[in-house]
Each structure stands twice: as structure tokens, then as C-alpha cells.
Amino acid sequence: PPAPSILRRSRARRAGKRVRFAQVTVYYFARRQGFTCVPSAGGSSLGMAPRHHRARRYSLSQFAHLRQVSHRQHLRQHLRREKLRARRRELTQNGTVPSAEAAGLTLADVSDDDLDVGQVEVGDYFYLQPLPTKRRRALLRASGVRRIDAEERQELRALRLSREQCGCLCRLTCEPRTCACSQAGIQCQ
């Protein structure tokens, strides 16, 4: 009888070898001022401590449930902030006339009954969203950062400005004497 095909043997071997995950390990890090990323709007950046302070293991189903609960909480907070903004806008006649009542409103004034959480699919909503400068500062302060380095603000602004001016002004052919790319030692863009 002919020898079994090498292709069949490798397929049979591969069919039994699959990677299966049974658990998820989550590492928790303290929040720090970033110095490693450039937020799209002013202020300081968020980062994390170089070492984790806690680790937890979850089964896949536990982790999926925890993520769903966490995402639902984030969605609820987002909708609460949006509802608060809308109420303040109504009380200030669309932002034209300041109102003491509007200034006194807080997130606590927005109840869960006012939110349409059921109308939004949590999976469709949740993605990383940029945080405003005030929220980043509040997060840093809440995590124990006492002194926020103000110099980072100017450095980040300079980086954002420099990224707006990318490449050189050459058209069709490169002029090495006036080309910013060539003078910087990189290929003409």
C-alpha cells in the first residue's frame, strides 16, 4: 500500500493543536502624569506607574461580565454628563444668559430615571474617548498626584504645532538648499 500523504498527516496534527484560553489576568497600575503621549487638546497627559500594584485572575465569563458592568457604568456616567449639559443649556437660554440655577446643578441632580440607557447598545457605544483637560487633571488629583508638571503643557503644545507642519514645501523636484527635509538629513517628503 502507498505511504500516507505528508499533507494529510500535518493537517491531522494541526487539527488537534488549538490554543484555548481559560482565564484572564488583569494588572492594575496607579495613574501618573504621562509624559509619553500627546493628547489632542491642551493640558497634561495621563500615564501609569511603571509597576502594577495588584493583579487579579478571572475566568473568561467573569471577565466578560465585569467588562459589561464597567462599560454600562461608563455609559451611564457619559449620559448623565450629557443630560446635565443639556439642562444647563436650557436654563441659560442656550448659553446666552447665565443662570444661578444652572450653575448650581451637579451630576447628582440627574437621576437614573432621566437616562435612556436602554436605548443605547453598550457594545456599540464603548470605545476609548478623549478626555477633556479638566477631567484628566481631576483623575490625576484623585489618584494622588499632588503636583502636575506645568512644563509638560508647553511641550505638548509645541509637539502638536510641529506635527501640523509635516514635510517640506518642495513641488515636483527637491531643492536641497531650501528643502527642510534634506537639511534635516531625511528623504524629501
Side-chain angles (χ1 to χ4, degrees):
S5 169
I6 295 174
L7 296 175
R8 283 192 193 143
R9 239 187 314 171
S10 65
R11 252 191 252 139
R13 263 192 231 143
R14 274 187 272 153
K17 292 183 180 183
R18 290 198 172 121
V19 175
R20 297 177 200 268
F21 296 97
Q23 57 186 338
V24 176
T25 304
V26 179
Y27 295 93
Y28 296 88
F29 293 82
R31 195 179 299 276
R32 299 280 185 260
Q33 191 170 355
F35 302 103
T36 55
C37 64
V38 180
S40 56
S44 53
S45 59
L46 296 176
M48 60 187 190
R51 294 207 170 274
H52 65 277
H53 60 82
R54 192 173 102 209
R56 297 245 354 237
R57 290 183 189 265
Y58 300 100
S59 70
L60 292 177
S61 61
Q62 287 173 322
F63 183 69
H65 177 72
L66 283 173
R67 281 190 63 178
Q68 187 176 28
V69 167
S70 171
H71 289 179
R72 191 163 277 125
Q73 286 173 338
H74 284 287
L75 174 61
R76 192 170 273 119
Q77 281 299 101
H78 174 73
L79 293 174
R80 187 170 272 127
R81 282 190 298 274
E82 290 298 314
K83 189 65 129 179
L84 178 63
R85 277 191 209 110
R87 280 192 184 160
R88 283 180 177 164
R89 220 176 3 260
E90 286 172 14
L91 291 171
T92 59
Q93 297 176 2
N94 294 326
T96 57
V97 180
S99 162
E101 187 180 356
L105 288 176
T106 65
L107 287 174
D109 295 322
V110 181
S111 72
D112 281 344
D113 297 336
D114 296 335
L115 306 177
D116 296 329
V117 178
Q119 299 295 326
V120 180
E121 180 62 39
V122 175
D124 292 342
Y125 160 78
F126 198 81
Y127 55 91
L128 289 178
Q129 299 175 353
L131 294 174
T133 304
K134 286 183 181 179
R135 291 242 3 251
R136 287 195 305 262
R137 290 181 77 82
L139 283 170
L140 287 170
R141 292 240 158 73
S143 63
V145 175
R146 296 200 192 289
R147 185 181 163 276
I148 296 174
D149 187 349
E151 286 183 30
E152 184 191 28
R153 185 177 180 185
Q154 272 68 38
E155 292 171 9
L156 294 174
R157 185 173 179 273
L159 276 170
R160 281 192 293 273
L161 286 172
S162 73
R163 289 180 177 178
E164 288 178 10
Q165 300 170 350
C166 182
C168 59
L169 302 175
C170 294
R171 301 284 178 247
L172 299 176
T173 60
C174 178
E175 296 292 332
R177 288 175 287 141
T178 59
C179 175
C181 296
S182 180
Q183 290 174 355
I186 58 175
Q187 190 174 18
C188 181
Q189 300 295 312

